[in-house]
Amino acid sequence: MGFRMGIVGLPNVGKSTLFNALTRTAAAQAANFPFCTIEPNVGEVAVPDRRLDTLAEIAGSKQIIPTRMTFVDIAGLVKGASKGEGLGNQFLANIRETDAIAHVLRCFEDGDVTHVEDRVDPVADAEIIETELMISDMESIERRLANIARKLKGGDKEAAAQERLLKQALAVLEDGKPARTITVDEDDLKAWNMLQLLTAKPVLYVCNVSESEAAEGNAQSEKVRQMAEAQGAGHVVISAKIEEEISQLDAEEAEMFLGEMGLEEAGLDRLIRAGYNLLGLQTYFTVGPKEARAWTITKGTLAPQAAGVIHGDFEKGFIRSETVAYDDYVAGKGEAGAKEAGKLRVEGKTYEVKDGDVLHFLFSS
């Protein structure tokens, strides 16, 4: 299971520099695990997780296969995108196909890089794009309401449920708030997701700061942090220039460079993890001599469904899972040691898989 994160932003905020760094980093990793650039503006990258390396070392795994996520570089939006300005309709359609939005905001001063609005104000930039997405959503809702009018007259229950959700979203949007501020009942989630509203998607604000401010951020990124917290959104501070430089270095050189910059890890690693967490995703592992592999599931996934991520037959024929928590696996120096210590558990169909679990599934064919 993976997901697509769209990288959006106004022109000249560092969005494409960031995407290029992501894809170059992924290309450099290609020798270790499968990677593909699906299209010129789409790339898959590994979700960094040091636990996987530790597990592979303990088990003597020949191959390490991280879980992955897809980033989509969506061309710079401009004011009026919802009306088609700057090929806006095409870009809005690209956003609609993603699961979450990484909104790159310019938080650096540079006289050589022109800002489309002739000023540096990341909060105002965020409002411009949010407004365009809200306008697009309102127009989409009005079209849909008109399209289902005939079904409603015929007493169609599905259309009635759709109308209720559309009107609920429209009321919030007309109040100047994005659709993601609505709390949706679990029974309505499937129908709600099918609406594909742009402003219903989770948002991660990416503060692009200068190289000298990458470690601590600055006053502008602090404003973004406050905005993100008020909205319940995610945020991360990075320097796209630094990430671009790091992407061209080998692992040892990159580590030295980060140390010189006073950084513990690459900003891209934090960005990827923040995007991963944004949708409530987590990781479990399968480990053996052949390979150590990470698998993505949503939080709250039960064991049979987690098995189904590997193969549908695993879910259909699920019997039980042999489960060891990551810390117990490491402490026991492998499955055998964890078992001797009484840390290997047999779990059934109602077990809720935890982040970091090392699992072995038993199933009937």
Side-chain angles (χ1 to χ4, degrees):
M1 174 184 173
F3 75 98
R4 294 165 68 91
M5 173 165 276
I7 304 178
V8 306
L10 295 176
N12 297 333
V13 297
K15 179 177 57 62
S16 292
T17 300
L18 180 63
F19 178 80
N20 291 339
L22 277 165
T23 52
R24 270 200 292 269
T25 299
Q29 297 168 334
N32 297 322
F33 66 93
F35 161 78
C36 62
T37 299
I38 305 163
E39 298 167 19
N41 66 333
V42 180
E44 286 189 349
V45 296
V47 176
D49 195 327
R50 292 176 182 174
R51 296 176 299 180
L52 187 58
D53 295 323
T54 301
L55 293 171
E57 186 176 349
I58 291 171
S61 305
K62 292 180 180 178
Q63 191 175 16
I64 298 175
I65 306 178
T67 190
R68 294 169 291 169
M69 60 185 289
T70 301
F71 282 91
V72 183
D73 182 23
I74 296 170
L77 294 173
V78 295
K79 190 180 289 185
S82 60
K83 303 297 182 185
E85 292 294 329
L87 298 177
N89 292 332
Q90 177 186 332
F91 303 152
L92 292 169
N94 289 339
I95 294 174
R96 204 176 300 281
E97 294 172 0
T98 64
D99 300 301
I101 297 171
H103 190 159
V104 182
L105 298 170
R106 177 172 170 172
C107 296
F108 65 88
E109 299 282 351
D110 188 338
D112 293 332
V113 181
T114 305
H115 189 287
V116 69
E117 296 290 329
D118 292 323
R119 49 101 179 106
V120 176
D121 186 342
V123 172
D125 289 354
E127 290 172 351
I128 287 174
I129 288 187
E130 187 85 290
T131 298
E132 294 302 324
L133 300 184
M134 289 170 67
I135 292 171
S136 178
D137 274 350
M138 286 190 282
E139 291 177 348
S140 172
I141 289 171
E142 286 166 357
R143 285 195 301 270
R144 292 184 190 196
L145 287 171
N147 289 338
I148 63 174
R150 184 176 297 177
K151 290 183 178 180
L152 288 168
K153 289 179 181 178
D156 188 304
K157 291 183 179 180
E158 189 175 318
Q162 192 176 17
E163 181 194 39
R164 174 173 53 81
L165 292 173
L166 287 169
K167 285 187 174 180
Q168 186 180 5
L170 185 59
V172 168
L173 290 163
E174 288 177 339
D175 195 34
K177 298 175 184 176
R180 61 181 172 274
T181 59
I182 296 173
T183 301
V184 181
D185 291 338
E186 192 171 337
D187 292 343
D188 289 330
L189 273 178
K190 185 176 180 181
W192 174 258
N193 291 333
M194 287 178 67
L195 297 181
Q196 288 191 302
L197 297 175
L198 300 175
T199 63
K201 298 180 185 296
V203 171
L204 172 68
Y205 292 112
V206 182
C207 304
N208 184 15
V209 300
S210 64
E211 294 168 274
S212 62
E213 296 168 326
E216 302 293 335
N218 58 25
Q220 297 285 17
S221 65
E222 174 60 20
K223 291 178 184 176
V224 176
R225 182 192 68 78
Q226 294 174 7
M227 173 182 68
E229 288 190 357
Q231 296 178 4
H235 86 286
V236 63
V237 176
I238 68 164
S239 166
K241 280 189 176 181
I242 287 178
E243 301 309 317
E244 189 172 37
E245 291 181 49
I246 291 173
S247 70
Q248 300 175 57
L249 304 175
D250 63 32
E252 189 174 335
E253 290 172 333
E255 191 172 343
M256 288 178 60
F257 181 77
L258 286 169
E260 291 170 2
M261 299 298 296
L263 300 170
E264 292 184 6
E265 63 177 344
L268 290 184
D269 286 358
R270 288 184 284 109
L271 167 62
I272 294 166
R273 277 201 304 274
Y276 195 71
N277 292 331
L278 189 65
L279 286 181
L281 302 176
Q282 64 182 26
T283 303
Y284 77 83
F285 304 101
T286 53
V287 185
K290 183 180 178 182
E291 66 178 35
R293 185 162 185 161
W295 302 90
T296 302
I297 55 173
T298 54
K299 292 175 182 177
T301 298
L302 300 181
Q305 287 70 52
V309 174
I310 299 175
H311 197 288
D313 289 345
F314 284 24
E315 180 177 355
K316 291 176 185 175
F318 179 89
I319 299 173
R320 62 182 183 274
S321 66
E322 294 178 347
T323 307
V324 181
Y326 171 78
D327 289 340
D328 293 332
Y329 190 98
V330 174
K333 297 181 180 179
E335 185 178 307
K339 188 174 183 179
E340 284 180 18
K343 298 298 185 180
L344 186 147
R345 310 185 311 275
V346 175
E347 302 287 359
K349 294 182 178 180
T350 60
Y351 175 66
E352 188 176 298
V353 176
K354 305 297 188 295
D355 183 59
D357 276 352
V358 180
L359 301 176
H360 175 68
F361 296 110
L362 285 83
F363 68 101
S364 59
S365 56

